[in-house]
């Protein structure tokens, strides 16, 4: 590995999944992002999207990091990391402010300040706000504005969708990254990353539900009118299906995973009834036959449970009747046979399977698969965040710089000679004017006695 100066256009990301860890490096280009290298290793220490054993996760990460550094010929110093888990929840909140001068146009800094203030919203103990997504703005009596910059008004009412996660989960993830010798640039919600990689502009405008079926969880994200409306994490994924096959067929995990991929179907009506697969017996017992129909019935039962939870969450979002683009399926679990047909039958929505499509030519062909949607999305979100920082510095940063400039102006030394203050001559007080005798106490007594003698 050479020791050349790192390429500042390169961005690295790590997807800590339940079944696999993916490290990926991309390069910013004038037309988007180009993936130049990726590495993958089996995951340990992650349960249903959450880091539960830091050392095991670190042991899974290091081979990926070392391998990808070898491929690109340089060290990586910072990464964008995904976060998921059943603890993730979303909440609708608003922030209202009365402006001092309604004749002045609303600036980008005002809108950013409102958004930054939402990160201080009250949440449950042990939770923190991961993302603040603007929904719409009301300027006085003008409602539902997407971008109020340039408008005028007395009052701004901003509506947001807050994405909240458990603090311990974020701390564990950050500690894993730091122990690997890397800086964590930002924690990114994995459904947001996957959506960035696979959804089309017209789908997000018309209304779409993205379902990312991973190993430990199934992530849901609802878009409408180009705005994120809802998200949810269902604590079932591909591993749950494999476990059901293990218990239902009495085979080892290795064979269960292989059967699910090669012979399984999530729509039992489409599975062949006269085909079987021979599985080895346990502990030297004789091999057994398992019919494709039996295997598909097991898979369909679990997929039905996952889709029931997804439909409940979609109904809960309030946008069930606004998903004109239907459902987009991605993630490693989206490759199960007949999944699209089953989802159409189960939900009544149109459906398609999506892979990363927001990359430029020349990227690694291996990442054009649904299983790498989240990892690619983390790269794209990283580029988006870096661009936002360059174009629009944070409000807090601008305030600090303003104070520094003021401090500098007040402490700068002038080339002119200092002014010498004039010598102050002390003022001498005039001596007190003696009072007339009649104004003294004895004078007043003497005057009183004199007047008394004259009266007599």
């Amino acid at each position: 590995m050479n020791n050349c100066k790192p390429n500042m256009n390169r961005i690295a990301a790590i997807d800590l999944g339940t079944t696999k860890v993916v490290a990926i490096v991309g390069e910013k280009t004038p037309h988007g992002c180009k993936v130049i290298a990726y590495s993958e290793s089996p995951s340990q220490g992650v349960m249903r999207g959450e880091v539960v054993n830091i050392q095991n996760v670190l042991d899974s990460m290091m081979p990926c990091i070392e391998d990808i550094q070898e491929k690109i010929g340089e060290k990586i110093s910072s990464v964008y990391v995904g976060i998921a888990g059943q603890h993730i929840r979303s909440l609708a909140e608003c922030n209202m402010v009365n402006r001092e001068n309604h004749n002045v146009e609303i600036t980008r800094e005002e809108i950013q300040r409102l958004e930054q203030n939402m990160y201080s919203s009250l949440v449950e103990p042990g939770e923190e706000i991961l993302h603040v997504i603007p929904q719409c703005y009301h300027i006085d009596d003008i409602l539902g504005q997407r971008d109020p910059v340039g408008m005028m008004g007395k009052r701004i009412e901003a509506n947001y969708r807050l994405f909240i996660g458990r603090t311990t989960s974020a701390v564990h993830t950050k500690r894993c990254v730091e122990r690997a010798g890397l800086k964590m640039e930002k924690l990114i919600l994995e459904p947001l990353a996957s959506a960035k990689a696979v959804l089309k502009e017209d789908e997000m405008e018309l209304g779409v539900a993205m379902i990312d079926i991973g190993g430990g969880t199934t992530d849901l994200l609802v878009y409408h009118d180009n705005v994120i409306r809802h998200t949810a994490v269902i604590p079932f994924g591909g591993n749950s299906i494999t476990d059901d096959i293990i218990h239902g067929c009495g085979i080892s995990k290795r064979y269960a995973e292989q059967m699910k991929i090669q012979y399984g179907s999530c729509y039992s009506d489409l599975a062949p009834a006269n085909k079987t697969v021979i599985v080895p017996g346990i502990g030297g017992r004789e091999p057994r036959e398992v019919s494709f129909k039996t295997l598909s019935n097991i898979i369909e039962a679990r997929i039905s449970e996952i889709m029931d939870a997804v439909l409940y969450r979609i109904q809960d979002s309030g946008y069930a009747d606004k998903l004109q683009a239907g459902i987009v399926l991605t993630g490693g679990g989206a490759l199960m046979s007949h999944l699209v047909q089953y989802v159409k039958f189960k939900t009544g929505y149109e459906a398609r399977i999506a892979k990363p499509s927001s990359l430029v030519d020349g990227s690694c062909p291996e990442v054009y698969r649904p299983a790498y949607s989240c990892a690619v999305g983390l790269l794209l979100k990283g580029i988006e965040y870096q661009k936002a920082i360059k174009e629009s510095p944070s409000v807090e940063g601008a305030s600090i710089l303003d104070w520094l400039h003021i401090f500098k102006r007040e402490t700068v030394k002038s080339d002119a000679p200092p002014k010498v203050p004039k010598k102050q001559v002390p003022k001498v007080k005039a001596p007190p004017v003696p009072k007339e005798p009649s104004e003294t106490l004895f004078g007043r007594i003497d005057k009183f006695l004199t007047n008394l003698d004259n009266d007599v």
Side-chain angles (χ1 to χ4, degrees), residues 59-295:
D59 294 339
S60 302
M61 285 175 53
M62 291 310 298
C64 277
I65 296 172
E66 293 169 359
D67 181 48
I68 204 167
Q69 289 181 153
E70 193 69 29
K71 289 179 178 178
I72 66 176
E74 64 183 46
K75 287 184 174 294
I76 56 177
S77 57
S78 60
V79 291
Y80 291 88
V81 186
I83 185 171
Q86 191 181 2
H87 62 93
I88 302 295
R89 64 185 182 95
S90 65
L91 182 68
E93 288 287 348
C94 68
N95 190 7
M96 186 176 65
V97 62
N98 293 316
R99 306 179 69 224
E100 294 182 358
N101 190 346
H102 64 276
N103 293 319
V104 177
E105 294 181 4
I106 298 172
T107 63
R108 181 68 61 189
E109 287 71 21
E110 284 184 84
I111 302 304
Q112 289 177 342
R113 192 178 299 113
L114 283 172
E115 183 175 330
Q116 289 295 324
N117 289 341
M118 295 306 296
Y119 282 94
S120 302
S121 302
L122 293 177
V123 294
E124 296 293 331
E127 291 184 335
E128 66 177 80
I129 298 175
L130 301 174
H131 294 281
V132 175
I133 305 296
Q135 304 288 290
C136 64
Y137 299 88
H138 305 324
I139 311 301
D140 294 342
D141 296 331
I142 305 175
L143 307 179
Q145 298 300 301
R146 291 286 306 280
D147 188 0
V149 175
M151 299 178 66
M152 292 189 295
K154 293 182 178 180
R155 184 180 65 184
I156 303 175
E157 183 179 343
N159 294 278
Y160 299 98
R161 174 68 62 174
L162 308 185
F163 295 93
I164 303 166
R166 198 155 50 211
T167 303
T168 54
S169 180
V171 170
H172 289 173
T173 303
K174 183 178 180 181
R175 186 164 298 177
C176 289
V177 174
E178 291 177 344
R179 286 185 59 180
L182 303 173
K183 174 188 175 184
M184 189 174 71
E185 290 287 351
K186 185 174 180 62
L187 268 178
I188 300 173
L189 191 61
E190 290 186 357
L192 301 183
S194 299
K196 182 70 177 179
V198 302
L199 293 184
K200 308 290 186 181
E201 289 291 335
D202 54 354
E203 291 176 327
M204 293 185 288
E205 181 180 356
L206 291 173
V208 66
M210 185 212 68
I211 302 174
D212 186 348
I213 306 176
T217 59
T218 297
D219 300 332
L220 168 69
L221 193 72
V222 176
Y223 255 102
H224 183 263
D225 197 19
N226 288 314
V227 176
I228 299 171
R229 304 298 183 177
H230 188 71
T231 188
V233 179
I234 292 113
F236 303 110
N239 287 353
S240 300
I241 299 173
T242 303
D243 292 339
D244 290 349
I245 296 173
I246 293 172
H247 296 296
C249 298
I251 58 177
S252 65
K253 184 175 182 178
R254 178 166 61 93
Y255 289 111
E257 187 70 27
Q258 183 179 355
M259 286 174 58
K260 180 182 72 174
I261 296 172
Q262 293 185 356
Y263 311 113
S265 171
C266 57
Y267 201 175
S268 60
D269 290 347
L270 300 179
N274 56 350
K275 286 188 177 182
T276 60
V277 58
I278 298 177
V279 296
I282 298 175
R285 296 177 178 86
E286 292 184 359
R288 297 188 304 109
E289 288 187 355
V290 177
S291 68
F292 282 25
K293 201 76 171 179
T294 300
L295 180 62

Side-chain angles (χ1 to χ4, degrees), residues 2-31:
N2 57 37
N3 294 323
C4 61
K5 187 177 180 180
N7 190 338
M8 300 306 295
N9 289 326
R10 289 183 176 178
I11 295 177
I14 295 179
D15 176 16
L16 297 175
T18 304
T19 58
K20 67 181 185 302
V21 174
V22 178
I24 188 168
V25 174
E27 193 171 75
K28 293 183 292 184
T29 69
H31 305 289

Side-chain angles (χ1 to χ4, degrees), residues 446-456:
D446 184 70
K447 184 177 179 181
F448 172 75
L449 294 176
T450 302
N451 293 334
L452 182 64
D453 292 340
N454 293 334
D455 291 339
V456 175

